[in-house]
Amino acid sequence: MTPALRIATNEELRAALEMLSGSTFVALDTEFMRERTYYAGLCLIQLATPDACAIIDPLARIDLQPLWEFLCDRSRLKVLHSGRQDLEVLSFAMAPPTTEGAVGRVPGPLFDTQVAAALLGSPAQAGYATVVSERLGHTLPKGQTRTDWSRRPLSPEQVEYAADDVRYLVPLYQNLTAALTARGRLDWLIEESLELEDPTLYRIDPTDAWRRLKGLDRLRPDQRAVAKLMAQWREARAMRKDKPRGWILADESLRDIAERVPANRTELDAIPSLSANFLRKRSEEILGLIAQGRTNAATEAPAMIPARPDPRLVAQVTRLLAIVREEAQRQEIAPELLATRRDVERLVFSGRADHLLQGWRRDVIGQRLVTLAAEPAASG
């Protein structure tokens, strides 16, 4: 196994990047901490090729600009596993330091081994260790999964653990590429990975914070308008305080406020998930947001998924999901990659099929689902 080079000076970084630059692809991973903050603290950057492995310490006094140029050089593929959080952290690290909440460039082009494995039948959210075990027959140690990567010095065990996160990405990428090519699915993987290069995925705009919430499709217009304002308020405050969103207001509490749309302090106090301390400090502010949400409701579309949907449409969702599972089994692919429940519900209840009709998915399952969803209306 290639020994890991520990990089803590500008000279070491330049030498490491020169060694790594000879390969057409580089495995990439990061270690970061965000348990007590809104913004993730980048603690390590790991890179590997078939001939080299580097563990870069961003907490040392290093000029990382050469690394950012290396990662954004599109002549070299970047291989990650479940890379969205890593890309988010790296993009913020590359952002102009004077612009709060700004997003920098996104490394690319990309190859996500979690997506690649799902296209070959693994669960859609299969972890790195699971895929390495399944595809390479190697068991990775778990001893450092809860380590504090911000503490220095790093132990030899920590360095080896971090190095393994990219060392085995190299043969994993080669294994998955060969398998995808044999199944004619390498282009599918390229399409899926392209989505991760979209900078808007990582841009922080409090007005878009509601997009992270689940289940808004089922809310009434007034409830959805309140949820959007509450999510915007929470995001802006979390950014300003550099605290996790859940420390400002838990998802459960935000959802409770949106669903109940309390009209006064008494109704707000009756929400059990809100603490007395929060109510004492924030009740007037929250009631003002709720009032504004009621005003904004007129601009909201009806619920995409009705609270009490037509039983015939519910049955149709069930039927289409069964077809998705059957096709996934036939294709030996994770069913969520073909179509999620949300994709199918949107299609049946509101006629939206944007995701289903994009790229490879359209021919494999999307057009078929759209045709089948139209059948009841055509026959009725």
Side-chain angles (χ1 to χ4, degrees):
M1 188 60 64
T2 307
L5 301 173
R6 300 178 66 171
I7 309 301
T9 69
N10 292 333
E11 293 74 18
E12 290 170 346
L13 178 60
R14 282 195 292 269
L17 294 179
E18 186 173 344
M19 280 192 300
L20 294 163
S21 64
S23 176
T24 58
F25 72 93
V26 61
L28 168 64
D29 189 44
T30 68
E31 305 296 346
F32 53 88
M33 301 292 291
R34 72 184 329 163
E35 284 75 9
R36 303 177 65 84
T37 60
Y38 178 88
Y39 296 100
L42 182 59
C43 300
L44 279 183
I45 305 157
Q46 304 102 284
L47 301 171
T49 66
D51 303 314
C53 179
I55 308 298
I56 301 165
D57 186 356
L59 301 184
R61 296 180 180 274
I62 306 180
D63 176 11
L64 294 175
Q65 192 58 39
L67 174 61
W68 304 152
E69 298 303 325
F70 177 86
L71 292 178
C72 293
D73 181 352
R74 297 193 63 82
S75 68
R76 190 175 301 106
L77 189 69
K78 318 308 177 304
V79 181
L80 308 94
H81 185 88
S82 187
R84 181 162 177 167
Q85 285 196 36
D86 298 296
L87 294 168
E88 177 186 343
V89 172
L90 287 169
S91 185
F92 280 113
M94 293 185 210
T98 57
T99 309
E100 182 180 357
V103 176
R105 293 172 292 175
V106 180
L110 303 171
F111 184 109
D112 193 311
T113 55
Q114 185 181 68
V115 177
L119 287 169
L120 295 165
S122 293
Q125 302 299 320
Y128 175 61
T130 298
V131 178
V132 167
S133 177
E134 289 177 351
R135 306 295 307 189
L136 304 179
H138 178 79
T139 301
L140 290 168
K142 302 179 181 179
Q144 303 296 326
T145 53
R146 295 185 180 276
T147 196
D148 181 350
W149 293 103
S150 66
R151 297 186 64 180
R152 297 294 184 268
L154 297 172
S155 69
E157 293 78 16
Q158 287 176 309
V159 172
E160 284 303 297
Y161 178 91
D164 281 350
D165 277 351
V166 285
R167 279 175 177 151
Y168 289 95
L169 265 179
V170 172
L172 184 60
Y173 159 71
Q174 295 167 327
N175 176 290
L176 291 167
T177 298
L180 288 169
T181 301
R183 296 293 301 272
R185 295 181 182 176
L186 189 56
D187 287 345
W188 297 8
L189 184 280
I190 293 170
E191 284 183 25
E192 295 294 304
S193 294
L194 261 176
E195 295 181 12
L196 293 171
E197 293 187 43
D198 182 358
T200 62
L201 287 176
Y202 316 107
R203 185 172 297 128
I204 295 181
D205 184 344
T207 60
D208 289 331
W210 61 271
R211 299 183 188 278
R212 295 176 178 268
L213 303 175
K214 296 180 180 179
L216 262 63
D217 289 352
R218 299 177 181 273
L219 296 183
R220 300 189 313 261
D222 61 326
Q223 293 173 320
R224 196 180 321 118
V226 170
K228 287 181 177 182
L229 287 175
M230 290 301 305
Q232 178 179 343
W233 172 84
R234 179 177 70 169
E235 197 81 9
R237 188 170 182 82
M239 291 170 64
R240 190 167 63 252
K241 298 289 187 180
D242 193 20
K243 298 296 182 185
R245 295 180 192 91
W247 288 22
I248 304 299
L249 183 66
D251 283 353
E252 176 191 3
S253 300
L254 192 156
R255 180 84 187 199
D256 287 345
I257 292 171
E259 288 184 345
R260 297 194 185 199
V261 196
N264 51 53
R265 177 64 189 268
T266 301
E267 292 180 5
L268 186 64
D269 287 351
I271 298 178
S273 61
L274 298 177
S275 70
N277 185 53
F278 177 87
L279 290 166
R280 185 176 63 256
K281 293 180 177 180
R282 303 292 166 207
S283 59
E284 293 305 316
E285 194 173 5
I286 299 306
L287 287 170
L289 290 169
I290 295 168
Q292 183 61 52
R294 287 198 182 91
T295 301
N296 295 352
T299 64
E300 291 287 335
M304 290 185 187
I305 302 172
R308 295 181 180 176
D310 186 327
R312 292 172 298 176
L313 296 182
V314 174
Q316 189 178 44
V317 168
T318 301
R319 180 170 67 97
L320 295 186
L321 285 172
I323 290 171
V324 170
R325 289 192 295 271
E326 290 170 5
E327 184 64 24
Q329 187 172 14
R330 190 180 73 82
Q331 295 274 356
E332 296 181 325
I333 187 173
E336 298 92 331
L337 277 191
L338 288 181
T340 64
R341 171 176 284 275
R342 187 183 185 190
D343 289 333
V344 173
E345 288 180 338
R346 282 192 166 192
L347 173 62
V348 171
F349 293 119
S350 64
R352 290 183 57 179
D354 314 28
H355 187 240
L356 293 170
L357 296 179
Q358 292 176 356
W360 64 271
R361 197 172 280 103
R362 176 189 182 100
D363 293 335
V364 175
I365 192 71
Q367 189 59 62
R368 182 182 174 196
L369 293 179
V370 170
T371 300
L372 289 171
E375 283 182 357
S379 62

